[in-house]
Amino acid sequence: MRPPPDAKPPASACARCEELRAEERRAEAALDHSRATDCRVLLRRHPLHNSPFRPC
């Protein structure tokens, strides 16, 4: 079973996940929607730590 397409990956202690989330927030604040989308894609491709969902 896959998560809904708009579901955010679960919060974790992973430094890379936190970096990508911070970059996504900065991009949204700067109205750089392309970069924010890139960050969301990279988060989706990054392993979903301790999640019942497998990476897409």
Side-chain angles (χ1 to χ4, degrees):
M1 175 184 261
R2 288 187 171 181
D6 59 344
K8 296 240 181 208
S12 72
C14 174
R16 183 65 181 144
C17 289
E18 294 305 317
E19 289 170 9
L20 289 169
R21 285 188 187 97
E23 179 63 26
E24 179 188 7
R25 286 190 299 271
R26 286 191 297 273
E28 287 288 341
L31 302 177
D32 186 349
H33 302 293
S34 177
R35 179 67 185 146
T37 298
D38 291 345
C39 291
R40 286 189 290 273
V41 168
L42 291 171
L43 271 166
R44 289 288 230 170
R45 290 181 178 173
H46 191 68
L48 301 178
H49 309 280
N50 300 319
S51 172
F53 301 114
R54 293 190 318 254
C56 298

mmCIF file of all heavy atoms in Angstrom:
data_model
loop_
_atom_site.group_PDB
_atom_site.id
_atom_site.type_symbol
_atom_site.label_atom_id
_atom_site.label_comp_id
_atom_site.label_asym_id
_atom_site.label_seq_id
_atom_site.Cartn_x
_atom_site.Cartn_y
_atom_site.Cartn_z
ATOM 1 N N MET A 1 0.838 -1.165 0.000
ATOM 2 C CA MET A 1 0.000 0.000 0.000
ATOM 3 C C MET A 1 0.888 1.236 0.000
ATOM 4 O O MET A 1 1.860 1.319 0.725
ATOM 5 C CB MET A 1 -0.884 -0.013 1.244
ATOM 6 C CG MET A 1 -1.695 1.248 1.369
ATOM 7 S SD MET A 1 -2.639 1.282 2.902
ATOM 8 C CE MET A 1 -4.195 0.768 2.274
ATOM 9 N N ARG A 2 0.558 2.211 -0.820
ATOM 10 C CA ARG A 2 1.314 3.452 -0.909
ATOM 11 C C ARG A 2 0.573 4.573 -0.190
ATOM 12 O O ARG A 2 -0.652 4.585 -0.149
ATOM 13 C CB ARG A 2 1.491 3.864 -2.352
ATOM 14 C CG ARG A 2 2.449 3.004 -3.099
ATOM 15 C CD ARG A 2 2.687 3.579 -4.452
ATOM 16 N NE ARG A 2 3.770 2.864 -5.091
ATOM 17 C CZ ARG A 2 4.221 3.155 -6.277
ATOM 18 N NH1 ARG A 2 3.689 4.133 -6.962
ATOM 19 N NH2 ARG A 2 5.206 2.468 -6.787
ATOM 20 N N PRO A 3 1.338 5.543 0.323
ATOM 21 C CA PRO A 3 0.683 6.698 0.946
ATOM 22 C C PRO A 3 0.027 7.560 -0.125
ATOM 23 O O PRO A 3 0.402 7.485 -1.297
ATOM 24 C CB PRO A 3 1.834 7.439 1.620
ATOM 25 C CG PRO A 3 3.038 7.032 0.854
ATOM 26 C CD PRO A 3 2.777 5.626 0.367
ATOM 27 N N PRO A 4 -0.944 8.384 0.246
ATOM 28 C CA PRO A 4 -1.541 9.293 -0.736
ATOM 29 C C PRO A 4 -0.465 10.194 -1.326
ATOM 30 O O PRO A 4 0.538 10.491 -0.662
ATOM 31 C CB PRO A 4 -2.538 10.113 0.088
ATOM 32 C CG PRO A 4 -2.664 9.431 1.392
ATOM 33 C CD PRO A 4 -1.508 8.515 1.564
ATOM 34 N N PRO A 5 -0.632 10.657 -2.570
ATOM 35 C CA PRO A 5 0.412 11.450 -3.219
ATOM 36 C C PRO A 5 0.769 12.726 -2.470
ATOM 37 O O PRO A 5 1.884 13.205 -2.562
ATOM 38 C CB PRO A 5 -0.167 11.780 -4.585
ATOM 39 C CG PRO A 5 -1.443 11.074 -4.699
ATOM 40 C CD PRO A 5 -1.764 10.421 -3.409
ATOM 41 N N ASP A 6 -0.169 13.292 -1.721
ATOM 42 C CA ASP A 6 0.111 14.540 -1.014
ATOM 43 C C ASP A 6 0.574 14.317 0.424
ATOM 44 O O ASP A 6 0.796 15.269 1.161
ATOM 45 C CB ASP A 6 -1.116 15.446 -1.023
ATOM 46 C CG ASP A 6 -2.329 14.794 -0.373
ATOM 47 O OD1 ASP A 6 -2.332 13.561 -0.193
ATOM 48 O OD2 ASP A 6 -3.278 15.519 -0.052
ATOM 49 N N ALA A 7 0.762 13.062 0.823
ATOM 50 C CA ALA A 7 1.183 12.762 2.191
ATOM 51 C C ALA A 7 2.651 13.130 2.377
ATOM 52 O O ALA A 7 3.483 12.848 1.533
ATOM 53 C CB ALA A 7 0.979 11.292 2.508
ATOM 54 N N LYS A 8 2.960 13.763 3.491
ATOM 55 C CA LYS A 8 4.342 14.095 3.823
ATOM 56 C C LYS A 8 4.981 12.874 4.478
ATOM 57 O O LYS A 8 4.337 12.168 5.234
ATOM 58 C CB LYS A 8 4.382 15.264 4.796
ATOM 59 C CG LYS A 8 3.831 16.525 4.206
ATOM 60 C CD LYS A 8 4.868 17.565 4.203
ATOM 61 C CE LYS A 8 4.271 18.828 3.617
ATOM 62 N NZ LYS A 8 5.229 19.634 2.992
ATOM 63 N N PRO A 9 6.247 12.625 4.194
ATOM 64 C CA PRO A 9 6.930 11.540 4.884
ATOM 65 C C PRO A 9 6.934 11.806 6.387
ATOM 66 O O PRO A 9 6.910 12.963 6.813
ATOM 67 C CB PRO A 9 8.349 11.601 4.327
ATOM 68 C CG PRO A 9 8.219 12.319 3.036
ATOM 69 C CD PRO A 9 7.076 13.272 3.208
ATOM 70 N N PRO A 10 6.955 10.775 7.187
ATOM 71 C CA PRO A 10 6.926 10.973 8.637
ATOM 72 C C PRO A 10 8.172 11.698 9.130
ATOM 73 O O PRO A 10 9.243 11.591 8.532
ATOM 74 C CB PRO A 10 6.871 9.551 9.191
ATOM 75 C CG PRO A 10 7.396 8.696 8.098
ATOM 76 C CD PRO A 10 7.059 9.379 6.803
ATOM 77 N N ALA A 11 7.990 12.437 10.209
ATOM 78 C CA ALA A 11 9.135 13.134 10.809
ATOM 79 C C ALA A 11 10.114 12.096 11.347
ATOM 80 O O ALA A 11 9.719 11.032 11.799
ATOM 81 C CB ALA A 11 8.654 14.040 11.921
ATOM 82 N N SER A 12 11.369 12.416 11.273
ATOM 83 C CA SER A 12 12.373 11.478 11.761
ATOM 84 C C SER A 12 13.568 12.256 12.276
ATOM 85 O O SER A 12 13.646 13.468 12.156
ATOM 86 C CB SER A 12 12.805 10.524 10.650
ATOM 87 O OG SER A 12 13.593 11.210 9.713
ATOM 88 N N ALA A 13 14.515 11.550 12.811
ATOM 89 C CA ALA A 13 15.734 12.166 13.298
ATOM 90 C C ALA A 13 16.800 12.191 12.209
ATOM 91 O O ALA A 13 17.945 12.523 12.471
ATOM 92 C CB ALA A 13 16.237 11.404 14.513
ATOM 93 N N CYS A 14 16.428 11.855 11.006
ATOM 94 C CA CYS A 14 17.374 11.813 9.888
ATOM 95 C C CYS A 14 17.793 13.239 9.501
ATOM 96 O O CYS A 14 16.965 14.084 9.185
ATOM 97 C CB CYS A 14 16.732 11.110 8.700
ATOM 98 S SG CYS A 14 17.733 11.147 7.195
ATOM 99 N N ALA A 15 19.098 13.470 9.503
ATOM 100 C CA ALA A 15 19.617 14.803 9.193
ATOM 101 C C ALA A 15 19.280 15.215 7.760
ATOM 102 O O ALA A 15 18.929 16.372 7.507
ATOM 103 C CB ALA A 15 21.127 14.827 9.403
ATOM 104 N N ARG A 16 19.352 14.279 6.831
ATOM 105 C CA ARG A 16 19.044 14.607 5.427
ATOM 106 C C ARG A 16 17.582 15.002 5.265
ATOM 107 O O ARG A 16 17.268 15.962 4.553
ATOM 108 C CB ARG A 16 19.398 13.433 4.515
ATOM 109 C CG ARG A 16 19.171 13.718 3.054
ATOM 110 C CD ARG A 16 20.089 14.820 2.557
ATOM 111 N NE ARG A 16 19.826 15.077 1.154
ATOM 112 C CZ ARG A 16 19.879 16.275 0.595
ATOM 113 N NH1 ARG A 16 20.213 17.332 1.289
ATOM 114 N NH2 ARG A 16 19.632 16.426 -0.687
ATOM 115 N N CYS A 17 16.688 14.290 5.932
ATOM 116 C CA CYS A 17 15.261 14.633 5.874
ATOM 117 C C CYS A 17 15.040 16.041 6.406
ATOM 118 O O CYS A 17 14.309 16.837 5.806
ATOM 119 C CB CYS A 17 14.425 13.646 6.690
ATOM 120 S SG CYS A 17 14.267 12.004 5.986
ATOM 121 N N GLU A 18 15.683 16.354 7.522
ATOM 122 C CA GLU A 18 15.530 17.684 8.121
ATOM 123 C C GLU A 18 16.083 18.768 7.199
ATOM 124 O O GLU A 18 15.488 19.838 7.064
ATOM 125 C CB GLU A 18 16.214 17.733 9.489
ATOM 126 C CG GLU A 18 15.557 16.841 10.523
ATOM 127 C CD GLU A 18 14.070 17.135 10.700
ATOM 128 O OE1 GLU A 18 13.677 18.315 10.746
ATOM 129 O OE2 GLU A 18 13.299 16.164 10.778
ATOM 130 N N GLU A 19 17.219 18.502 6.554
ATOM 131 C CA GLU A 19 17.783 19.464 5.607
ATOM 132 C C GLU A 19 16.814 19.726 4.458
ATOM 133 O O GLU A 19 16.621 20.880 4.056
ATOM 134 C CB GLU A 19 19.094 18.939 5.040
ATOM 135 C CG GLU A 19 20.242 18.913 6.008
ATOM 136 C CD GLU A 19 21.446 18.164 5.446
ATOM 137 O OE1 GLU A 19 21.447 17.806 4.240
ATOM 138 O OE2 GLU A 19 22.393 17.932 6.209
ATOM 139 N N LEU A 20 16.246 18.667 3.922
ATOM 140 C CA LEU A 20 15.316 18.825 2.801
ATOM 141 C C LEU A 20 14.052 19.570 3.218
ATOM 142 O O LEU A 20 13.548 20.404 2.469
ATOM 143 C CB LEU A 20 14.958 17.461 2.208
ATOM 144 C CG LEU A 20 16.089 16.782 1.428
ATOM 145 C CD1 LEU A 20 15.726 15.332 1.123
ATOM 146 C CD2 LEU A 20 16.381 17.551 0.150
ATOM 147 N N ARG A 21 13.539 19.294 4.410
ATOM 148 C CA ARG A 21 12.349 20.009 4.887
ATOM 149 C C ARG A 21 12.647 21.496 5.094
ATOM 150 O O ARG A 21 11.841 22.355 4.748
ATOM 151 C CB ARG A 21 11.838 19.383 6.170
ATOM 152 C CG ARG A 21 11.130 18.075 5.949
ATOM 153 C CD ARG A 21 10.470 17.569 7.230
ATOM 154 N NE ARG A 21 9.950 16.249 7.014
ATOM 155 C CZ ARG A 21 10.574 15.130 7.352
ATOM 156 N NH1 ARG A 21 11.731 15.170 7.969
ATOM 157 N NH2 ARG A 21 10.034 13.958 7.101
ATOM 158 N N ALA A 22 13.823 21.798 5.651
ATOM 159 C CA ALA A 22 14.213 23.197 5.859
ATOM 160 C C ALA A 22 14.369 23.912 4.519
ATOM 161 O O ALA A 22 13.919 25.052 4.355
ATOM 162 C CB ALA A 22 15.506 23.269 6.665
ATOM 163 N N GLU A 23 14.997 23.255 3.562
ATOM 164 C CA GLU A 23 15.163 23.840 2.235
ATOM 165 C C GLU A 23 13.800 24.059 1.569
ATOM 166 O O GLU A 23 13.580 25.085 0.909
ATOM 167 C CB GLU A 23 16.045 22.945 1.367
ATOM 168 C CG GLU A 23 16.261 23.464 -0.037
ATOM 169 C CD GLU A 23 16.993 24.792 -0.085
ATOM 170 O OE1 GLU A 23 17.750 25.095 0.844
ATOM 171 O OE2 GLU A 23 16.801 25.527 -1.071
ATOM 172 N N GLU A 24 12.880 23.114 1.749
ATOM 173 C CA GLU A 24 11.533 23.274 1.196
ATOM 174 C C GLU A 24 10.852 24.510 1.801
ATOM 175 O O GLU A 24 10.250 25.304 1.080
ATOM 176 C CB GLU A 24 10.687 22.028 1.470
ATOM 177 C CG GLU A 24 9.281 22.139 0.955
ATOM 178 C CD GLU A 24 8.383 21.001 1.385
ATOM 179 O OE1 GLU A 24 8.809 20.151 2.204
ATOM 180 O OE2 GLU A 24 7.233 20.970 0.921
ATOM 181 N N ARG A 25 10.973 24.690 3.113
ATOM 182 C CA ARG A 25 10.370 25.865 3.768
ATOM 183 C C ARG A 25 10.989 27.166 3.251
ATOM 184 O O ARG A 25 10.274 28.134 2.981
ATOM 185 C CB ARG A 25 10.529 25.767 5.285
ATOM 186 C CG ARG A 25 9.617 24.749 5.921
ATOM 187 C CD ARG A 25 9.630 24.853 7.441
ATOM 188 N NE ARG A 25 10.953 24.605 8.018
ATOM 189 C CZ ARG A 25 11.409 23.405 8.366
ATOM 190 N NH1 ARG A 25 10.642 22.337 8.216
ATOM 191 N NH2 ARG A 25 12.611 23.283 8.895
ATOM 192 N N ARG A 26 12.324 27.178 3.091
ATOM 193 C CA ARG A 26 12.984 28.388 2.568
ATOM 194 C C ARG A 26 12.533 28.680 1.141
ATOM 195 O O ARG A 26 12.283 29.832 0.776
ATOM 196 C CB ARG A 26 14.509 28.232 2.612
ATOM 197 C CG ARG A 26 15.095 28.351 3.999
ATOM 198 C CD ARG A 26 16.608 28.456 3.980
ATOM 199 N NE ARG A 26 17.267 27.284 3.428
ATOM 200 C CZ ARG A 26 17.602 26.207 4.124
ATOM 201 N NH1 ARG A 26 17.341 26.129 5.414
ATOM 202 N NH2 ARG A 26 18.207 25.190 3.544
ATOM 203 N N ALA A 27 12.416 27.642 0.334
ATOM 204 C CA ALA A 27 11.987 27.821 -1.052
ATOM 205 C C ALA A 27 10.548 28.355 -1.112
ATOM 206 O O ALA A 27 10.252 29.265 -1.893
ATOM 207 C CB ALA A 27 12.097 26.499 -1.816
ATOM 208 N N GLU A 28 9.673 27.810 -0.278
ATOM 209 C CA GLU A 28 8.293 28.301 -0.237
ATOM 210 C C GLU A 28 8.252 29.762 0.194
ATOM 211 O O GLU A 28 7.520 30.574 -0.380
ATOM 212 C CB GLU A 28 7.446 27.453 0.711
ATOM 213 C CG GLU A 28 7.113 26.070 0.184
ATOM 214 C CD GLU A 28 6.100 26.076 -0.947
ATOM 215 O OE1 GLU A 28 5.371 27.077 -1.118
ATOM 216 O OE2 GLU A 28 6.042 25.071 -1.669
ATOM 217 N N ALA A 29 9.053 30.123 1.190
ATOM 218 C CA ALA A 29 9.087 31.505 1.670
ATOM 219 C C ALA A 29 9.585 32.456 0.579
ATOM 220 O O ALA A 29 9.146 33.604 0.504
ATOM 221 C CB ALA A 29 9.970 31.605 2.913
ATOM 222 N N ALA A 30 10.488 31.969 -0.263
ATOM 223 C CA ALA A 30 11.034 32.775 -1.354
ATOM 224 C C ALA A 30 10.177 32.683 -2.617
ATOM 225 O O ALA A 30 10.551 33.233 -3.658
ATOM 226 C CB ALA A 30 12.455 32.327 -1.663
ATOM 227 N N LEU A 31 9.052 31.993 -2.518
ATOM 228 C CA LEU A 31 8.141 31.771 -3.651
ATOM 229 C C LEU A 31 8.812 31.025 -4.795
ATOM 230 O O LEU A 31 8.466 31.200 -5.950
ATOM 231 C CB LEU A 31 7.529 33.089 -4.137
ATOM 232 C CG LEU A 31 6.751 33.876 -3.086
ATOM 233 C CD1 LEU A 31 6.260 35.190 -3.662
ATOM 234 C CD2 LEU A 31 5.596 33.059 -2.524
ATOM 235 N N ASP A 32 9.789 30.203 -4.456
ATOM 236 C CA ASP A 32 10.477 29.363 -5.442
ATOM 237 C C ASP A 32 9.792 27.997 -5.439
ATOM 238 O O ASP A 32 10.269 27.037 -4.830
ATOM 239 C CB ASP A 32 11.960 29.249 -5.085
ATOM 240 C CG ASP A 32 12.765 28.511 -6.145
ATOM 241 O OD1 ASP A 32 12.162 27.903 -7.051
ATOM 242 O OD2 ASP A 32 14.006 28.537 -6.041
ATOM 243 N N HIS A 33 8.672 27.934 -6.125
ATOM 244 C CA HIS A 33 7.849 26.721 -6.101
ATOM 245 C C HIS A 33 8.534 25.548 -6.791
ATOM 246 O O HIS A 33 8.329 24.399 -6.400
ATOM 247 C CB HIS A 33 6.480 27.002 -6.719
ATOM 248 C CG HIS A 33 5.755 28.094 -6.021
ATOM 249 N ND1 HIS A 33 5.304 27.973 -4.726
ATOM 250 C CD2 HIS A 33 5.449 29.355 -6.411
ATOM 251 C CE1 HIS A 33 4.731 29.099 -4.361
ATOM 252 N NE2 HIS A 33 4.811 29.962 -5.356
ATOM 253 N N SER A 34 9.367 25.836 -7.771
ATOM 254 C CA SER A 34 10.097 24.767 -8.449
ATOM 255 C C SER A 34 11.064 24.081 -7.483
ATOM 256 O O SER A 34 11.122 22.849 -7.409
ATOM 257 C CB SER A 34 10.849 25.330 -9.650
ATOM 258 O OG SER A 34 11.614 24.333 -10.268
ATOM 259 N N ARG A 35 11.818 24.877 -6.740
ATOM 260 C CA ARG A 35 12.767 24.305 -5.769
ATOM 261 C C ARG A 35 12.029 23.568 -4.657
ATOM 262 O O ARG A 35 12.463 22.504 -4.218
ATOM 263 C CB ARG A 35 13.649 25.417 -5.184
ATOM 264 C CG ARG A 35 14.628 24.921 -4.165
ATOM 265 C CD ARG A 35 15.669 24.019 -4.789
ATOM 266 N NE ARG A 35 16.517 23.471 -3.754
ATOM 267 C CZ ARG A 35 17.045 22.255 -3.786
ATOM 268 N NH1 ARG A 35 16.855 21.473 -4.827
ATOM 269 N NH2 ARG A 35 17.766 21.819 -2.797
ATOM 270 N N ALA A 36 10.912 24.127 -4.203
ATOM 271 C CA ALA A 36 10.132 23.463 -3.163
ATOM 272 C C ALA A 36 9.643 22.097 -3.655
ATOM 273 O O ALA A 36 9.693 21.108 -2.919
ATOM 274 C CB ALA A 36 8.956 24.336 -2.742
ATOM 275 N N THR A 37 9.223 22.045 -4.901
ATOM 276 C CA THR A 37 8.787 20.773 -5.482
ATOM 277 C C THR A 37 9.956 19.802 -5.572
ATOM 278 O O THR A 37 9.811 18.618 -5.260
ATOM 279 C CB THR A 37 8.174 21.003 -6.877
ATOM 280 O OG1 THR A 37 7.021 21.837 -6.732
ATOM 281 C CG2 THR A 37 7.778 19.685 -7.535
ATOM 282 N N ASP A 38 11.120 20.302 -5.968
ATOM 283 C CA ASP A 38 12.317 19.445 -6.015
ATOM 284 C C ASP A 38 12.594 18.831 -4.647
ATOM 285 O O ASP A 38 12.906 17.641 -4.542
ATOM 286 C CB ASP A 38 13.542 20.240 -6.459
ATOM 287 C CG ASP A 38 13.484 20.668 -7.919
ATOM 288 O OD1 ASP A 38 12.643 20.116 -8.671
ATOM 289 O OD2 ASP A 38 14.269 21.554 -8.295
ATOM 290 N N CYS A 39 12.470 19.629 -3.602
ATOM 291 C CA CYS A 39 12.707 19.125 -2.240
ATOM 292 C C CYS A 39 11.700 18.038 -1.878
ATOM 293 O O CYS A 39 12.059 17.025 -1.277
ATOM 294 C CB CYS A 39 12.631 20.269 -1.233
ATOM 295 S SG CYS A 39 13.995 21.433 -1.387
ATOM 296 N N ARG A 40 10.445 18.235 -2.246
ATOM 297 C CA ARG A 40 9.427 17.217 -1.948
ATOM 298 C C ARG A 40 9.715 15.922 -2.699
ATOM 299 O O ARG A 40 9.544 14.823 -2.153
ATOM 300 C CB ARG A 40 8.036 17.749 -2.272
ATOM 301 C CG ARG A 40 7.548 18.774 -1.253
ATOM 302 C CD ARG A 40 6.098 19.139 -1.436
ATOM 303 N NE ARG A 40 5.870 19.922 -2.628
ATOM 304 C CZ ARG A 40 5.965 21.255 -2.703
ATOM 305 N NH1 ARG A 40 6.320 21.952 -1.641
ATOM 306 N NH2 ARG A 40 5.721 21.887 -3.828
ATOM 307 N N VAL A 41 10.172 16.044 -3.942
ATOM 308 C CA VAL A 41 10.520 14.847 -4.719
ATOM 309 C C VAL A 41 11.693 14.125 -4.067
ATOM 310 O O VAL A 41 11.674 12.896 -3.905
ATOM 311 C CB VAL A 41 10.846 15.220 -6.186
ATOM 312 C CG1 VAL A 41 11.487 14.048 -6.921
ATOM 313 C CG2 VAL A 41 9.589 15.680 -6.903
ATOM 314 N N LEU A 42 12.701 14.878 -3.655
ATOM 315 C CA LEU A 42 13.856 14.259 -3.005
ATOM 316 C C LEU A 42 13.463 13.605 -1.683
ATOM 317 O O LEU A 42 13.971 12.529 -1.345
ATOM 318 C CB LEU A 42 14.959 15.295 -2.790
ATOM 319 C CG LEU A 42 15.625 15.792 -4.066
ATOM 320 C CD1 LEU A 42 16.543 16.967 -3.772
ATOM 321 C CD2 LEU A 42 16.372 14.674 -4.766
ATOM 322 N N LEU A 43 12.552 14.227 -0.955
ATOM 323 C CA LEU A 43 12.061 13.603 0.284
ATOM 324 C C LEU A 43 11.342 12.293 -0.019
ATOM 325 O O LEU A 43 11.487 11.311 0.710
ATOM 326 C CB LEU A 43 11.115 14.556 1.020
ATOM 327 C CG LEU A 43 11.772 15.504 1.995
ATOM 328 C CD1 LEU A 43 10.801 16.602 2.399
ATOM 329 C CD2 LEU A 43 12.272 14.765 3.209
ATOM 330 N N ARG A 44 10.559 12.282 -1.091
ATOM 331 C CA ARG A 44 9.841 11.058 -1.454
ATOM 332 C C ARG A 44 10.799 9.946 -1.851
ATOM 333 O O ARG A 44 10.535 8.772 -1.592
ATOM 334 C CB ARG A 44 8.895 11.327 -2.640
ATOM 335 C CG ARG A 44 7.721 12.161 -2.303
ATOM 336 C CD ARG A 44 6.805 11.382 -1.493
ATOM 337 N NE ARG A 44 5.478 11.450 -2.023
ATOM 338 C CZ ARG A 44 4.537 10.667 -1.570
ATOM 339 N NH1 ARG A 44 4.818 9.758 -0.683
ATOM 340 N NH2 ARG A 44 3.333 10.772 -2.000
ATOM 341 N N ARG A 45 11.899 10.312 -2.491
ATOM 342 C CA ARG A 45 12.875 9.315 -2.937
ATOM 343 C C ARG A 45 13.787 8.852 -1.818
ATOM 344 O O ARG A 45 14.383 7.779 -1.907
ATOM 345 C CB ARG A 45 13.722 9.889 -4.072
ATOM 346 C CG ARG A 45 12.946 10.057 -5.341
ATOM 347 C CD ARG A 45 13.820 10.604 -6.411
ATOM 348 N NE ARG A 45 13.077 10.734 -7.663
ATOM 349 C CZ ARG A 45 13.555 11.305 -8.742
ATOM 350 N NH1 ARG A 45 14.777 11.797 -8.744
ATOM 351 N NH2 ARG A 45 12.825 11.385 -9.824
ATOM 352 N N HIS A 46 13.916 9.670 -0.783
ATOM 353 C CA HIS A 46 14.748 9.325 0.365
ATOM 354 C C HIS A 46 14.041 8.225 1.162
ATOM 355 O O HIS A 46 12.821 8.228 1.254
ATOM 356 C CB HIS A 46 14.959 10.581 1.221
ATOM 357 C CG HIS A 46 15.991 10.445 2.276
ATOM 358 N ND1 HIS A 46 17.322 10.304 1.991
ATOM 359 C CD2 HIS A 46 15.890 10.431 3.611
ATOM 360 C CE1 HIS A 46 17.985 10.213 3.117
ATOM 361 N NE2 HIS A 46 17.151 10.285 4.121
ATOM 362 N N PRO A 47 14.768 7.299 1.732
ATOM 363 C CA PRO A 47 14.113 6.215 2.479
ATOM 364 C C PRO A 47 13.159 6.748 3.555
ATOM 365 O O PRO A 47 13.457 7.720 4.235
ATOM 366 C CB PRO A 47 15.283 5.482 3.143
ATOM 367 C CG PRO A 47 16.470 5.834 2.340
ATOM 368 C CD PRO A 47 16.221 7.213 1.782
ATOM 369 N N LEU A 48 12.020 6.100 3.658
ATOM 370 C CA LEU A 48 11.029 6.497 4.658
ATOM 371 C C LEU A 48 11.334 5.721 5.932
ATOM 372 O O LEU A 48 10.858 4.628 6.154
ATOM 373 C CB LEU A 48 9.604 6.212 4.158
ATOM 374 C CG LEU A 48 9.219 6.924 2.869
ATOM 375 C CD1 LEU A 48 7.820 6.528 2.447
ATOM 376 C CD2 LEU A 48 9.311 8.412 3.034
ATOM 377 N N HIS A 49 12.118 6.290 6.782
ATOM 378 C CA HIS A 49 12.616 5.646 7.984
ATOM 379 C C HIS A 49 11.493 5.127 8.880
ATOM 380 O O HIS A 49 10.601 5.881 9.247
ATOM 381 C CB HIS A 49 13.492 6.623 8.767
ATOM 382 C CG HIS A 49 14.536 7.249 7.912
ATOM 383 N ND1 HIS A 49 15.709 6.600 7.578
ATOM 384 C CD2 HIS A 49 14.588 8.434 7.267
ATOM 385 C CE1 HIS A 49 16.416 7.370 6.795
ATOM 386 N NE2 HIS A 49 15.767 8.486 6.594
ATOM 387 N N ASN A 50 11.548 3.854 9.207
ATOM 388 C CA ASN A 50 10.612 3.219 10.111
ATOM 389 C C ASN A 50 9.152 3.403 9.696
ATOM 390 O O ASN A 50 8.268 3.466 10.520
ATOM 391 C CB ASN A 50 10.809 3.731 11.537
ATOM 392 C CG ASN A 50 12.200 3.456 12.036
ATOM 393 O OD1 ASN A 50 12.752 2.384 11.791
ATOM 394 N ND2 ASN A 50 12.789 4.419 12.697
ATOM 395 N N SER A 51 8.922 3.505 8.426
ATOM 396 C CA SER A 51 7.562 3.700 7.917
ATOM 397 C C SER A 51 7.035 2.389 7.353
ATOM 398 O O SER A 51 7.785 1.610 6.781
ATOM 399 C CB SER A 51 7.556 4.757 6.821
ATOM 400 O OG SER A 51 6.303 4.822 6.201
ATOM 401 N N PRO A 52 5.720 2.159 7.482
ATOM 402 C CA PRO A 52 5.153 0.961 6.861
ATOM 403 C C PRO A 52 5.094 1.081 5.337
ATOM 404 O O PRO A 52 4.880 0.111 4.647
ATOM 405 C CB PRO A 52 3.747 0.873 7.454
ATOM 406 C CG PRO A 52 3.407 2.275 7.835
ATOM 407 C CD PRO A 52 4.717 2.913 8.227
ATOM 408 N N PHE A 53 5.318 2.299 4.811
ATOM 409 C CA PHE A 53 5.254 2.518 3.376
ATOM 410 C C PHE A 53 6.621 2.347 2.762
ATOM 411 O O PHE A 53 7.623 2.801 3.297
ATOM 412 C CB PHE A 53 4.745 3.932 3.072
ATOM 413 C CG PHE A 53 3.380 4.209 3.634
ATOM 414 C CD1 PHE A 53 3.216 5.138 4.637
ATOM 415 C CD2 PHE A 53 2.284 3.527 3.168
ATOM 416 C CE1 PHE A 53 1.970 5.396 5.155
ATOM 417 C CE2 PHE A 53 1.037 3.771 3.682
ATOM 418 C CZ PHE A 53 0.880 4.706 4.677
ATOM 419 N N ARG A 54 6.663 1.700 1.621
ATOM 420 C CA ARG A 54 7.914 1.563 0.896
ATOM 421 C C ARG A 54 8.137 2.801 0.042
ATOM 422 O O ARG A 54 7.190 3.429 -0.400
ATOM 423 C CB ARG A 54 7.849 0.325 -0.019
ATOM 424 C CG ARG A 54 7.788 -0.961 0.737
ATOM 425 C CD ARG A 54 7.962 -2.138 -0.210
ATOM 426 N NE ARG A 54 7.230 -1.986 -1.448
ATOM 427 C CZ ARG A 54 6.124 -2.660 -1.738
ATOM 428 N NH1 ARG A 54 5.633 -3.551 -0.906
ATOM 429 N NH2 ARG A 54 5.517 -2.487 -2.885
ATOM 430 N N PRO A 55 9.387 3.189 -0.222
ATOM 431 C CA PRO A 55 9.640 4.318 -1.122
ATOM 432 C C PRO A 55 9.033 4.049 -2.495
ATOM 433 O O PRO A 55 8.975 2.904 -2.939
ATOM 434 C CB PRO A 55 11.153 4.393 -1.211
ATOM 435 C CG PRO A 55 11.652 3.650 -0.036
ATOM 436 C CD PRO A 55 10.615 2.606 0.288
ATOM 437 N N CYS A 56 8.574 5.086 -3.144
ATOM 438 C CA CYS A 56 7.958 4.958 -4.477
ATOM 439 C C CYS A 56 9.000 4.651 -5.511
ATOM 440 O O CYS A 56 10.129 4.970 -5.395
ATOM 441 C CB CYS A 56 7.243 6.246 -4.842
ATOM 442 S SG CYS A 56 5.911 6.649 -3.731
#
